[in-house]
Amino acid sequence: MLMSICHVKKEFNGTPVLRDVNMDIDKGDVVVILGPSGSGKTTFLRCLNFLERADGGELELDGKTIDLHDASNKDIADVRRKTAFVFQNYNLFANKTVLENVTLGLTAGRGISKTEAEERAREALQKVGML
Ligand SMILES: Nc1ncnc2c1ncn2[C@@H]1O[C@H](COP(=O)(O)OP(=O)(O)O)[C@@H](O)[C@H]1O
Ligand SMILES: [Mg+2]
């Protein structure tokens, strides 16, 4: 198992939005979270990345279990290094090139050298026909 999500709970002002949500994800899985607008899809993802603090639940990632309510700043940084979030709206840096936008997370976020980051970025851009 790559990632196990257990018993996620979240309410806003007494209204439950996530009620005991569970999900197991294997390496290579492509998972779609589907549901009507307002059903809690974004809240669920925000809780996993700690943009929102869940009321309860656990995330098991890389063999380590993290409490979604009580995670330390170090645990949060650790999860964020291993996950990525693509926002629905436009969040590129307009003053940077495509290559700079793609490499910034690797160099600033993960401490990968500029040379290696550019190599990986070029491979990724090649894959989607943007090189
Ligand atoms: N910060 C917040 N404060 C109060 N209510 C919120 C907040 N964020 C989301 N909600 C409510 O939680 C519910 C789920 O929202 P959301 O996760 O954005 O749904 P989805 O992404 O599936 O459209 C909605 O009723 C929404 O109004
Ligand atoms: Mg949403």
Side-chain angles (χ1 to χ4, degrees), residues 38 40-43 88:
K41 306 178 296 293
T42 296
T43 302
Q88 227 162 351

Side-chain angles (χ1 to χ4, degrees), residues 12 17 36-43:
F12 291 112
V17 171
S37 182
S39 61
K41 306 178 296 293
T42 296
T43 302

Side-chain angles (χ1 to χ4, degrees), residues 105-126:
L106 296 176
T107 54
R110 293 206 208 165
I112 290 172
S113 76
K114 189 162 180 265
T115 317
E116 193 194 330
E118 287 191 359
E119 202 172 297
R120 288 170 62 174
R122 283 179 200 285
E123 272 174 37
L125 290 169
Q126 172 86 55

Side-chain angles (χ1 to χ4, degrees), residues 68-106:
L68 289 173
H69 181 63
D70 287 329
S72 66
N73 287 341
K74 189 187 163 298
D75 286 337
I76 293 173
D78 207 32
V79 170
R80 287 187 178 155
R81 262 194 302 277
K82 291 173 186 161
T83 55
F85 201 113
V86 180
F87 292 92
Q88 227 162 351
N89 47 353
Y90 203 65
N91 276 288
L92 295 173
F93 294 106
N95 61 333
K96 294 192 182 298
T97 63
V98 171
L99 193 63
E100 285 165 346
N101 268 285
V102 176
T103 52
L104 189 64
L106 296 176

